[in-house]
Each structure stands twice: as structure tokens, then as C-alpha cells.
Amino acid sequence: MYNHNTTWISTVSCTGTTWTHNIVREIFKAQKLNLFPSKILLDDESYFSLYKSQALKDPDERNHYVMACHTSISPLLPRTKFITTVRNPYDNCASFFEFTKCSLEEAIKCAQDIPRMIQHYSKLGKEELFIVRFEDIDEAPEDLIKRIANFLGFNLSEDKLKELAEKYSRESIKKMIAVKDKTLSEKLSSGENFDQDEVVIREGRDGLGFLDLNTGY
């Protein structure tokens, strides 16, 4: 069916990582394959641990692992394809600065990591590496999703391409986050319990925030 069992999404922050991660997961779900991990993991080390302990020695061709990390990893990993992302460094710097409330120096370093990441994977061929242009996520999402699916060895119907492009459009994601935040805030205020296997609460510089473990948003 395909000659790899792990897809690594190895990116720099604020370059479309979460969108790409969701799209890749959706592509494998559409093939009715067993997807691991079933939920979004909270840090790079958790993905590395899962890869070493499970994916590396998993012989079942119906199982596929979709991993995400904000660092470069060995391009020589067996049974693996890589997806990374590229974004205008100036836009990335501004986005990272605003999103993380970090220092300007940290934001500049983040932007500088983009060409370093591309260079790290530059020796991989087109069968092993796919590069997502951040601009295409908004400007040509259906074509981008189609090309990602083809890279992974699958063809999606036009209806499925349209469905995924709409589901993960910028406006749809904003609505998804707003509804989730409103619902969970009301539950917290009323003392009602919520499923902690689906959502985690994180404390950031702007106060409490919620992370949906199904999507990473």
C-alpha cells in the first residue's frame, strides 16, 4: 500500500505546523488506516518516545504514525517521510513575536531557523520530502491538500479536498476555537467537569488557555 509507516512534520514555529498536522492526519483517516497517536501529544519528546518504542518496530501495514516536532531530526530514519514548512521570515518573526510575547531577539532567531530547517533536509528527494508554502494554506488549500495526499501515496476525491479545505480554513478554525473556549469557560465557571482526555488547560502569559487534543488548536 505504501512503503513508510511514519510521517514526520518537522517545522519551525508559526509556519503552519498545526494546519499541516491536521491535514496529514485527516488524509490517513480517509484511508481507514489505524492512526497513531490517536490524540495530539504535548511536546516533541513524547513523539520521539513513541517513535522509538512503537513505530520503529511496528510490522502492521495498517498502522501509520503522524508525528510533529519543532526541531530538525535525522533524515535517515527508516520507513519515514518528512514534511516541513516555509514562510517569509519577516512574517514569521512578527507572528512568533505576537503569539509568544517573546523578546525581539527570540523572534528573529525563530525566523532564522526556517532556512536552516530547509537546508537540513535539502538532500532528501521529492519522494521523501514535501515542503509546504505557508501562503498556499490560505491561497490554494485544495491544491495543496491534493499535493500532500499524492506525496503520501493517496488520491482524494474533489469533494474530500473541498471538505478539508473548508474544515481547516482560517475562519473555520477561528470559529472552532471560539466555540470551544466559550463552552469550556462556562463549564469551569459553573464547576462542571469536562473530558480531560480531550482538552488540557494551559497557563500562558495571557492567562488560562485551552488546547484541544483532537486538533491541537
Side-chain angles (χ1 to χ4, degrees):
M1 184 179 297
Y2 49 85
N3 60 6
H4 75 292
N5 81 334
T6 303
T7 302
W8 275 102
I9 300 163
S10 173
T11 63
V12 175
S13 294
C14 295
T15 58
T17 308
T18 305
W19 184 92
T20 304
H21 195 182
N22 277 288
I23 292 299
V24 172
R25 286 170 58 85
E26 292 277 8
I27 290 169
F28 282 107
K29 286 179 184 178
Q31 313 308 313
K32 308 299 183 184
L33 297 173
N34 303 317
L35 183 65
F36 297 96
S38 60
K39 305 290 183 185
I40 302 297
L41 302 183
L42 298 180
D43 52 64
D44 292 357
E45 287 303 320
S46 296
Y47 284 107
F48 297 150
S49 177
L50 179 64
Y51 179 74
K52 292 175 183 176
S53 65
Q54 191 168 323
L56 265 176
K57 49 192 176 185
D58 190 342
D60 192 335
E61 292 188 352
R62 299 295 303 174
N63 295 344
H64 196 90
Y65 297 79
V66 180
M67 313 289 203
C69 64
H70 284 313
T71 188
S72 57
I73 56 180
S74 171
L76 301 178
L77 296 179
R79 303 176 68 196
T80 297
K81 289 193 175 188
F82 295 88
I83 297 177
T84 192
T85 50
V86 62
R87 184 180 187 182
N88 183 304
Y90 295 102
D91 293 338
N92 175 260
C93 180
S95 178
F96 188 77
F97 181 79
E98 175 63 25
F99 181 73
T100 65
K101 313 300 181 188
C102 66
S103 68
L104 181 58
E105 288 76 14
E106 290 174 296
I108 292 172
K109 181 183 181 302
C110 179
Q112 291 173 331
D113 284 339
I114 296 174
R116 293 183 187 130
M117 184 74 78
I118 299 300
Q119 178 62 33
H120 178 78
Y121 294 116
S122 62
K123 292 185 179 179
L124 292 175
K126 63 181 181 179
E127 299 299 318
E128 302 166 296
L129 175 68
F130 186 92
I131 299 176
V132 172
R133 289 180 65 253
F134 182 84
E135 293 78 12
D136 288 343
I137 294 174
D138 285 328
E139 297 173 5
E142 290 184 43
D143 178 68
L144 176 55
I145 295 168
K146 181 178 182 178
R147 289 188 290 114
I148 293 173
N150 289 342
F151 168 73
L152 296 172
F154 305 112
N155 291 311
L156 298 184
S157 68
E158 294 300 317
D159 286 344
K160 190 64 176 180
L161 292 172
K162 183 177 180 181
E163 173 194 329
L164 293 181
E166 291 179 351
K167 181 177 180 180
Y168 292 100
S169 69
R170 193 178 295 273
E171 288 305 312
S172 294
I173 291 170
K174 286 180 180 178
K175 290 178 182 177
M176 180 198 314
I177 293 173
V179 170
K180 175 200 68 180
D181 286 353
K182 183 175 184 295
T183 301
L184 293 175
S185 293
E186 290 175 350
K187 286 186 175 183
L188 279 177
S189 297
S190 65
E192 185 179 349
N193 293 326
F194 59 88
D195 192 344
Q196 296 184 29
D197 290 331
E198 301 289 331
V199 177
V200 297
I201 300 176
R202 282 181 159 179
E203 187 171 356
R205 299 187 184 186
D206 294 326
L208 293 180
F210 304 103
L211 180 70
D212 185 341
L213 296 180
N214 290 300
T215 64
Y217 287 114

